[in-house]
């Protein structure tokens, strides 16, 4: 008994020896009194720090009688605040200012330090199209090969991701990737997003994040829309190729909303273009979006939002090189100009953020999506059917219901701070009439190759723990995913429901070491996965249907000078056996093990107070492991790529960018006997901005180079050919494309 009392006395004495203060506060914008989510608070001279939550709140414990806090948020003036045993909550108001890289620290309280680069890019480089927002991710390339209405082809970390097989994409917590899609697994169409309302971009490369599940192998991207408009605006754009685009975003509550702790706005976009092709695209798209926020009390916020999107287009598809070289068609011509499609998406969602303790908050999100898709393509022309041609129709109608709950908690244990995040949720997809049909001229159905109903459910749970031990941050997490797959083949005479289920556990372990305030090192490791199409699951009887990906990153972010931030990473990724459902042919195609290794380098430099430079360079060596040397290349996987540019924002109101992107030559097939030719393309824009209006000019491909945006090694046959030919087919990249814009703010 005496031993127990003595032990208790020693423990209490040792704990009381640490004089510490607890600081609670809230960080808001002095301009509109809105909470600043993700602002950083660092204790000067230490590695202790935190970030604000959804409400702008933070909680920090310090083993000292007093301290100086460095408060930072990109686009706002840094503040240094001295605190000494505060008796009440701090309210810190930050002043908007021009971006100064010298005031940005590379100290990080989490493993996503590279997100600093995205915050800088969003602040400096507003984008002008929904597909361009993906380019905020350093090293990510996109290609459009179907007239502007189809989801972009994505390239990242040595992957030809197709339309989303190996990158998880979400907007405000809603998934963009469509599982078991009629056109391809993970299909991610971003065209329902209005770029002008994007507030922030959260991204990560690799398999290291417990809150990210399906498709998170090469990485993930999560876009967040604005909770509140700074100003209402109307924008009109017009340019070559009969292009017209208009955008409106209207604040509905104004100052009255601010006084009642609520905000609401609506936004809309409408676009028309024929594109540069000889056969007009007849493209149109409209988007409508609405969002409402209500601070129910000091600790609870409700967000409601709804959106709808519709698009229709014609396109010229990929054309064979021989047809251009023989003069049969021009670079912007077509073999089958009846290709095209129509698609739409409607979303509704509700989010409740609640602070349930001094250091704990809970986020609940529920969403529902209604989606339809119909696409007509012809990749091989007259290879299979010399009379009618090889046009195919891919079609589906889908409903998607999901829910997720996330808990965040900060605390201290044995003198060290820790951060816990945990989550549970589910996603349920119902795809009716998932169809692949041979057609003629979009009108005549010749033969159904696949036709069925797909139901796919994914339940998940994860926990993520971070400990800050002096200069070292240790992050460990584990994720559990459970899948249930059902397929009803409507081409069969008898009703049969094919069903499979599978679970997978994905552990993560990451380290971040803060050498000093201008230099940190990180080591990331973990496993991830991507599910295969439901039709693959049932065809394989549940075997080898959730292939794992194993990854590791070792890198550093540092500031060699006040105005320069550099991030460099060496990485490795291994994928197990996969089975891929080829939606264009309704067949299951197995592929072997693969590995990718590479180096990513990114830099952001402020040359003058109003002039900024950025550069991203990526090298990757992607290979198939089970194939012989020289026959183990991964088709279309990037090897060398780079992006760079200059951005200027002068006090006179003149601003703009000049940017160039480079994608090197890469193999078009497994033995590199065919080459997907690389390119360098430069774009530019210049604007004059005031508080009331903005005028500007935008030019894509300013030097009017001939380049191939998308390329595939395809076997095809033209109408007059007796034998098929296998060669590169391509979609020409946009030529010199001039547009002007005018925006009015009120």
């Amino acid at each position: 008994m005496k031993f127990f009392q003595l032990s208790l006395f020693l423990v209490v004495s040792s704990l009381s020896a640490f004089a510490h203060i607890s600081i609670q506060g809230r960080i808001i914008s002095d301009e509109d009194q809105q909470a600043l989510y993700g602002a950083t608070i660092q204790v000067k001279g230490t590695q202790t720090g935190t970030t604000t939550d959804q409400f702008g709140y933070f909680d920090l414990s310090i083993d000292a009688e007093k301290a100086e806090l460095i408060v930072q948020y990109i686009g706002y003036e840094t503040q240094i605040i001295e605190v000494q045993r505060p008796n009440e909550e701090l309210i810190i108001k930050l002043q908007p200012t021009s971006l100064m890289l010298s005031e940005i620290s590379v100290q990080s309280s989490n493993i996503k330090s590279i997100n600093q680069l995205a915050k800088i890019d969003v602040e400096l480089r507003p984008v002008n199209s929904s597909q361009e927002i993906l380019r905020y991710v350093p090293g990510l390339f996109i290609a459009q090969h179907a007239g502007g209405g189809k989801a972009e082809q994505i390239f990242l970390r040595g992957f030809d991701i197709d339309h989303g097989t190996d990158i998880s994409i979400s907007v405000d917590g809603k998934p963009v990737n469509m599982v078991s899609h009629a056109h391809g697994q993970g299909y991610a169409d971003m065209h329902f997003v209005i770029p002008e309302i994007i507030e922030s971009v959260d991204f990560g490369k690799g398999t290291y994040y417990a809150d990210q599940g399906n498709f998170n192998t090469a990485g993930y991207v999560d876009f967040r829309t604005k909770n509140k408009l700074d100003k209402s605006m109307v924008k009109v754009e017009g340019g070559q190729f009969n292009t017209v685009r208009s955008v409106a975003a209207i604040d509905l509550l104004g100052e009255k909303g601010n006084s009642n702790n609520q905000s609401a706005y609506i936004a809309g976009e409408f676009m028309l273009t024929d594109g540069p092709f000889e056969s007009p695209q007849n493209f149109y798209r409209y988007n409508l979006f609405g969002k409402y926020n209500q601070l129910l009390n000091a600790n609870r916020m409700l967000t409601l939002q709804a959106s709808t999107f519709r698009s229709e287009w014609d396109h010229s598809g990929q054309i064979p090189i021989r047809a251009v070289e023989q003069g049969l068609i021009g670079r912007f011509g077509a073999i089958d100009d009846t290709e095209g499609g129509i698609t739409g998406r409607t979303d509704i969602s509700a989010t409740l953020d609640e602070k349930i303790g001094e250091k704990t908050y809970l986020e609940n999100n529920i969403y529902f999506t209604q989606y339809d898709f119909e696409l007509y393509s012809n990749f091989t022309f007259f290879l299979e059917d010399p009379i009618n041609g090889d046009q195919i129709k891919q079609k589906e109608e889908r409903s998607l219901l999901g829910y997720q709950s996330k808990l965040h908690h900060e605390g201290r244990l044995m003198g060290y701070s820790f951060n816990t995040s945990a989550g549970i949720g589910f996603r349920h997809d119902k795809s009716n009439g998932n169809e692949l049909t041979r057609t003629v001229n979009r009108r005549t159905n010749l033969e159904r190759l696949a036709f069925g109903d797909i139901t796919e459910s994914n339940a998940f749970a994860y926990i993520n723990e971070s400990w800050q031990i002096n200069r070292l941050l240790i992050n460990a997490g584990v994720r559990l995913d459970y899948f249930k797959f059902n397929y009803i083949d409507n081409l069969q005479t008898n009703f049969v429901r094919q069903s499979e289920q599978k679970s997978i556990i994905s552990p993560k372990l990451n380290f971040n070491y803060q050498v000093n305030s201008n230099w940190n090192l990180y080591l990331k490791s973990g496993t991830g996965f991507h599910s295969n199409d439901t039709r693959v699951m049932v065809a394989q009887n549940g075997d080898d249907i959730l292939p794992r990906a194993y990854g590791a990153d070792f890198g550093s972010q540092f500031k060699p000078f006040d105005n320069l931030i550099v991030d460099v990473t060496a990485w490795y990724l291994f994928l197990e056996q996969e089975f891929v459902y080829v939606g264009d042919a309704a067949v299951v195609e197995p592929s072997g093990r693969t590995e990718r290794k590479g180096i990513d380098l990114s830099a952001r430099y402020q040359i003058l107070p109003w002039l900024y430079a950025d550069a991203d360079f990526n090298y990757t060596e992607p290979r198939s492991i089970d194939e012989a040397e020289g026959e183990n290349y991964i088709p279309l996987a990037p090897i060398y790529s780079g992006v760079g540019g200059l951005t200027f924002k002068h006090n006179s109101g003149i601003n703009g960018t000049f940017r160039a992107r480079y994608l090197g030559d890469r193999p078009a097939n497994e033995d590199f006997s065919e080459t997907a030719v690389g390119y360098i393309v430069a774009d530019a824009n210049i604007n004059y901005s005031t508080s009331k209006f903005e005028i500007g000019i935008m030019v894509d491909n300013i030097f009017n180079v001939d380049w191939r945006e998308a390329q595939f090694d395809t076997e095809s046959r033209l109408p007059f050919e007796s034998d098929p030919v296998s060669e590169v087919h391509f979609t020409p990249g946009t030529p010199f494309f001039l547009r002007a814009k005018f925006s009015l703010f009120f």
Side-chain angles (χ1 to χ4, degrees), residues 51-114:
T51 58
T52 53
D53 63 19
Q54 317 287 74
F55 304 95
Y57 289 109
F58 70 92
D59 194 304
L60 195 61
S61 295
I62 306 171
D63 294 322
E65 291 283 351
K66 61 181 180 179
E68 286 185 315
L69 302 183
I70 304 173
V71 182
Q72 294 180 317
Y73 192 82
I74 289 178
Y76 286 79
E77 188 175 310
T78 298
Q79 283 194 29
I80 299 179
I81 300 171
E82 185 173 326
V83 294
Q84 185 172 358
R85 292 192 175 278
N87 296 320
E88 57 186 30
E89 181 182 89
L90 296 175
I91 301 296
I92 303 172
K93 298 181 179 182
L94 298 186
Q95 297 284 345
T97 186
S98 58
L99 178 64
M100 300 297 291
L101 295 190
S102 59
E103 295 187 356
I104 297 175
S105 170
V106 299
Q107 288 181 299
S108 178
S109 58
N110 58 55
I111 62 168
K112 299 178 180 178
S113 58
I114 194 172

Side-chain angles (χ1 to χ4, degrees), residues 697-713:
I697 294 175
M698 300 167 286
V699 181
D700 294 345
N701 193 0
I702 192 169
F703 299 116
N704 198 28
V705 299
D706 289 342
W707 62 292
R708 302 174 184 174
E709 185 163 8
Q711 300 174 75
F712 303 90
D713 182 23

Side-chain angles (χ1 to χ4, degrees), residues 295-312:
L295 195 61
L296 302 176
N297 55 46
N299 297 318
R300 184 177 294 173
M301 181 169 68
L302 175 67
T303 302
L304 303 174
Q305 66 182 64
S307 64
T308 190
F309 146 81
R310 200 73 184 164
S311 181
E312 185 172 355

Side-chain angles (χ1 to χ4, degrees), residues 122-247:
V122 171
E123 178 71 19
L124 291 177
R125 304 196 322 253
V127 296
N128 297 296
S129 66
S130 54
Q131 58 267 37
E132 281 185 14
I133 62 178
L134 286 169
R135 290 181 177 149
Y136 277 135
V137 180
L140 186 149
F141 276 67
I142 59 173
Q144 175 57 254
H145 55 254
K150 186 178 174 183
E152 275 68 33
Q153 185 181 11
I154 302 171
F155 304 93
L156 180 67
R157 282 207 159 179
F159 279 88
D160 170 14
I161 295 176
D162 193 31
H163 301 288
T165 57
D166 288 278
I167 185 169
S168 175
I169 303 177
S170 58
V171 177
D172 290 330
K174 300 184 296 293
V176 178
N177 303 79
M178 295 294 178
V179 296
S180 304
H181 190 269
H183 182 68
Q185 176 70 331
Y187 187 88
D189 186 353
M190 288 293 297
H191 297 130
F192 71 98
V193 180
I194 302 173
E196 284 81 359
I197 63 172
I198 291 294
E199 174 85 307
S200 64
V201 180
D202 175 28
F203 74 89
K205 299 179 185 179
T207 58
Y208 318 122
Y209 316 98
D211 59 340
Q212 301 296 322
N214 200 5
F215 305 115
N216 176 216
T217 52
Y220 79 91
V221 192
D222 180 26
F223 297 95
R224 295 286 170 169
T225 59
K226 295 179 179 180
N227 280 338
K228 180 182 181 298
L229 296 179
D230 298 328
K231 295 180 180 179
S232 297
M233 60 89 71
V234 175
K235 176 192 287 188
V236 178
E237 300 175 7
Q240 293 175 276
F241 316 125
N242 299 321
T243 300
V244 176
R245 178 176 180 259
S246 60
V247 180

Side-chain angles (χ1 to χ4, degrees), residues 316-362:
S316 300
Q318 297 105 52
I319 57 175
I321 290 177
R322 65 186 185 277
V324 178
E325 292 178 342
Q326 295 172 16
L328 301 176
I329 58 174
R331 274 180 54 82
F332 294 94
I335 302 298
D336 181 355
D337 64 357
T338 65
E339 299 183 59
I342 184 169
T343 187
R345 174 175 178 147
T346 298
D347 294 284
I348 57 173
S349 67
T351 301
L352 181 65
D353 293 322
E354 185 174 8
K355 193 173 177 67
I356 59 176
E358 287 188 356
K359 301 181 180 182
T360 307
Y361 77 88
L362 184 66

